[in-house]
Amino acid sequence: MPINVLGIETSCDETSAAVISDNKILSNIIANQEVHQKYGGVVPELASRAHQKNIIPVVERALIEANIDIKKLNAVAFTRGPGLLGSLLVGSSFAKSMSLSLDIPLIEVNHMQAHLLANFIENNNRNKPTFPFLGVNISGGHTQIILCKNYFEMEIIGETLDDSIGEAFDKCGKLLGLNYPAGSKIDRFAKNGDKKKFKFIIPKVSELDFSFSGLKTNFKRFIENNISKNKNFIEKEIENICASIQETIAKILLEKIIKGINITNTKTIVFGGGVSANSRIRKSCKKELKNCKLFFPKIEYTTDNAAMIALVGYLKYKEKNFTNYDVESRARYKI
Ligand code: KG4
Ligand code: ZN
C-alpha cells in the first residue's frame, strides 16, 4: 500500500496544500496572496488573515485534484518554521486539528530543509542527489550554504549577515518600480539585456558568508544618479539594468559556491528556494561548475509550495518520526 501524506505550507505569503503518494506528487495547490504587491513586501498581519481565508479551500482542492479519499491519508505534515509566526500558526493549528480528527500522525517539517529536499520528489526517474552534498538555499528569507550529511543532518557553513539574496532581487526591483516579488520580473527583463553594461560592487565578506545590503545601497545610488541626469533612465535601460544587477548577484553566489566546494571537497551541489528558479544563476553555475553534479528543483518546487513539505512528511513517516500535539511553531528554526 502506498503512503499518502497531506502537506501544508503557510510560512510566508503562499497558502499551499499538496498530497504525495510515496514520493510522487498527486496535487500541489498554491494560493498566492496578491494583497502584498502594493506594499513592496509581505505585510505579516495581512498574510495571516489571507491564510485563514484560504486554508480550507486550498486543502479541499488539493484532495480533489489528488482524487484521494480523505480516509486514505496516512499523515499530515506541516511547516513548523522558520517563517512569520502568525502565518505558521494558521497552518500548524489546521494540521493538528486534521491529524486529531482523522486519528493519523502529525509530522513537523523545517521549511529550509524542505526547500533542499524538494530535489528528491520523483521526477521522471531523473537521478536523485546522493549524500553528502553541498546545499545552496537561496530564497526570500534565507541565503545559506549547507553541508548535508543525510536527509536530516544538515550543518549551515555560510549564511547572509544582512539581507537575503531574494531581498536583493526584490529591493532592487522595487527601486525599478517592479511589484513584489520582483525576482522573476528581473529575470524576464534580463533576457534581452546586456549583462556587462553596468557595474556594481561585489561585497567583500569572509569565508562562506554573504552580505547584500551594500549592493542594494550601491544600486540605489546608481539609480538616483542616473535619474537626476535623465528622468527616463529606467524605462530606457530596464533590460540592461536587470541583466547587469542579476549578473552581479549570480557572480557573488557562484564565488561562494566555489569556495564551499573547495572547503568541503564536495562535488554534488543541490539548490533550493525561490531564487534557484533564476535562469542566469542556473546557466552560470552549469557553465562554471562542469566538474560537479548540479541539482535544481523543478521550477514549481522552487518557490514556496506544500509539495516539498509533503515529501519531507513522507520521508519522516517512513522513519516513524512523528510529532506531539504540544509542538510550537517557530519563527526562527535552525536547520
Ligand atoms: O522560497 P521563496 O518562495 O520564499 C522564501 O522562503 O523566502 O522565495 C521567494 C523569493 C523572492 O525573493 C522572489 O523574488 C525570488 O524568490 N524569486 C526569484 C525568481 N523567482 C522567485 N529570484 C530571482 N529569479 C527568479 N526567477
Ligand atoms: Zn521558502
Side-chain angles (χ1 to χ4, degrees), residues 9 11 111-112 115 139-140 273-274 302-304 308:
E9 156 62 32
S11 66
H111 180 88
M112 300 315 295
H115 267 307
S139 73
T302 53
T303 45
D304 289 349
M308 65 186 194

Side-chain angles (χ1 to χ4, degrees), residues 242-287:
C242 287
S244 302
I245 188 68
Q246 178 175 272
E247 182 64 8
T248 308
I249 295 173
K251 236 186 205 159
I252 294 169
L253 180 67
L254 183 64
E255 198 179 282
K256 294 292 179 175
I257 295 174
I258 292 172
K259 232 180 215 166
I261 293 169
N262 292 336
I263 291 174
T264 60
N265 207 13
T266 313
K267 291 257 186 294
T268 303
I269 321 295
V270 177
F271 292 80
V275 181
S276 73
N278 185 267
S279 61
R280 182 65 201 152
I281 288 175
R282 288 187 176 214
K283 203 167 168 187
S284 60
C285 287
K286 280 177 194 160
K287 181 162 170 246

Side-chain angles (χ1 to χ4, degrees), residues 115-120 128-137 144 146 148 268-272 276 293-297:
H115 267 307
L116 287 179
L117 297 176
N119 287 278
F120 289 87
K128 296 208 177 90
T130 48
F131 293 99
F133 61 70
L134 198 65
V136 178
N137 241 342
Q144 305 168 323
I146 304 161
C148 303
T268 303
I269 321 295
V270 177
F271 292 80
S276 73
K293 277 193 184 150
L294 303 188
F295 293 86
F296 291 94

Side-chain angles (χ1 to χ4, degrees), residues 212-229:
F212 288 99
S213 68
L215 176 64
K216 179 195 64 195
T217 310
N218 176 235
F219 186 79
K220 187 167 183 273
R221 291 222 181 92
F222 159 83
I223 294 291
E224 285 167 354
N225 283 342
N226 280 287
I227 286 186
S228 70
K229 289 180 217 144

Side-chain angles (χ1 to χ4, degrees), residues 172-195:
C172 290
K174 192 175 176 193
L175 290 163
L176 295 172
L178 304 176
N179 276 343
Y180 172 87
S184 57
K185 295 168 189 116
I186 290 180
D187 197 349
R188 242 175 286 135
F189 277 118
K191 285 200 167 48
N192 301 315
D194 173 1
K195 58 182 187 296

Side-chain angles (χ1 to χ4, degrees), residues 31-315:
N32 299 109
Q33 302 181 357
E34 270 147 31
V35 61
H36 307 289
Q37 281 201 1
K38 58 176 181 275
Y39 298 100
V42 178
V43 184
E45 162 122 13
L46 296 180
S48 322
R49 286 169 189 264
H51 284 306
Q52 265 201 331
K53 200 170 134 194
N54 293 338
I55 187 82
I56 290 180
V58 164
V59 170
E60 273 178 341
R61 265 193 60 204
L63 292 169
I64 291 168
E65 203 165 288
N67 196 17
I68 193 166
D69 185 334
I70 199 166
K71 294 192 193 83
K72 292 261 163 65
L73 290 177
N74 298 90
V76 184
F78 71 100
T79 303
R80 182 179 181 192
L84 302 169
L85 193 64
S87 293
L88 291 166
L89 290 174
V90 177
S92 73
S93 304
F94 184 89
K96 285 181 187 186
S97 317
M98 190 140 174
S99 141
L100 193 62
S101 62
L102 294 173
D103 194 22
I104 54 177
L106 178 72
I107 300 173
E108 60 107 347
V109 174
N110 181 308
H111 180 88
M112 300 315 295
Q113 285 188 344
H115 267 307
L116 287 179
L117 297 176
N119 287 278
F120 289 87
I121 292 172
E122 192 176 288
N123 187 2
N124 296 334
N125 293 327
R126 188 186 77 154
N127 283 341
K128 296 208 177 90
T130 48
F131 293 99
F133 61 70
L134 198 65
V136 178
N137 241 342
I138 42 179
S139 73
H142 295 82
T143 311
Q144 305 168 323
I145 306 234
I146 304 161
L147 185 59
C148 303
K149 295 165 200 158
N150 60 48
Y151 288 128
F152 303 112
E153 212 182 320
M154 299 184 176
E155 184 194 346
I156 297 174
I157 53 175
E159 60 191 327
T160 184
L161 306 174
D162 41 55
D163 287 353
S164 73
I165 190 166
E167 278 178 291
F169 273 102
D170 295 334
K171 288 180 177 174
C172 290
K174 192 175 176 193
L175 290 163
L176 295 172
L178 304 176
N179 276 343
Y180 172 87
S184 57
K185 295 168 189 116
I186 290 180
D187 197 349
R188 242 175 286 135
F189 277 118
K191 285 200 167 48
N192 301 315
D194 173 1
K195 58 182 187 296
K196 295 195 178 128
K197 174 116 191 219
F198 303 113
K199 292 271 170 290
F200 301 104
I201 58 158
I202 301 274
K204 296 265 168 292
V205 192
S206 65
E207 295 299 319
L208 298 177
D209 287 336
F210 297 83
S211 164
F212 288 99
S213 68
L215 176 64
K216 179 195 64 195
T217 310
N218 176 235
F219 186 79
K220 187 167 183 273
R221 291 222 181 92
F222 159 83
I223 294 291
E224 285 167 354
N225 283 342
N226 280 287
I227 286 186
S228 70
K229 289 180 217 144
N230 171 7
K231 68 176 178 21
N232 297 323
F233 175 70
I234 293 179
E235 253 168 60
K236 187 167 157 273
E237 294 286 355
I238 184 88
E239 291 174 341
N240 297 328
I241 302 170
C242 287
S244 302
I245 188 68
Q246 178 175 272
E247 182 64 8
T248 308
I249 295 173
K251 236 186 205 159
I252 294 169
L253 180 67
L254 183 64
E255 198 179 282
K256 294 292 179 175
I257 295 174
I258 292 172
K259 232 180 215 166
I261 293 169
N262 292 336
I263 291 174
T264 60
N265 207 13
T266 313
K267 291 257 186 294
T268 303
I269 321 295
V270 177
F271 292 80
V275 181
S276 73
N278 185 267
S279 61
R280 182 65 201 152
I281 288 175
R282 288 187 176 214
K283 203 167 168 187
S284 60
C285 287
K286 280 177 194 160
K287 181 162 170 246
E288 302 299 330
L289 305 172
K290 284 210 180 75
N291 59 345
C292 294
K293 277 193 184 150
L294 303 188
F295 293 86
F296 291 94
K298 271 175 92 174
I299 294 291
E300 63 260 44
Y301 305 140
T302 53
T303 45
D304 289 349
N305 65 88
M308 65 186 194
I309 305 302
L311 183 273
V312 178
Y314 162 71
L315 295 173

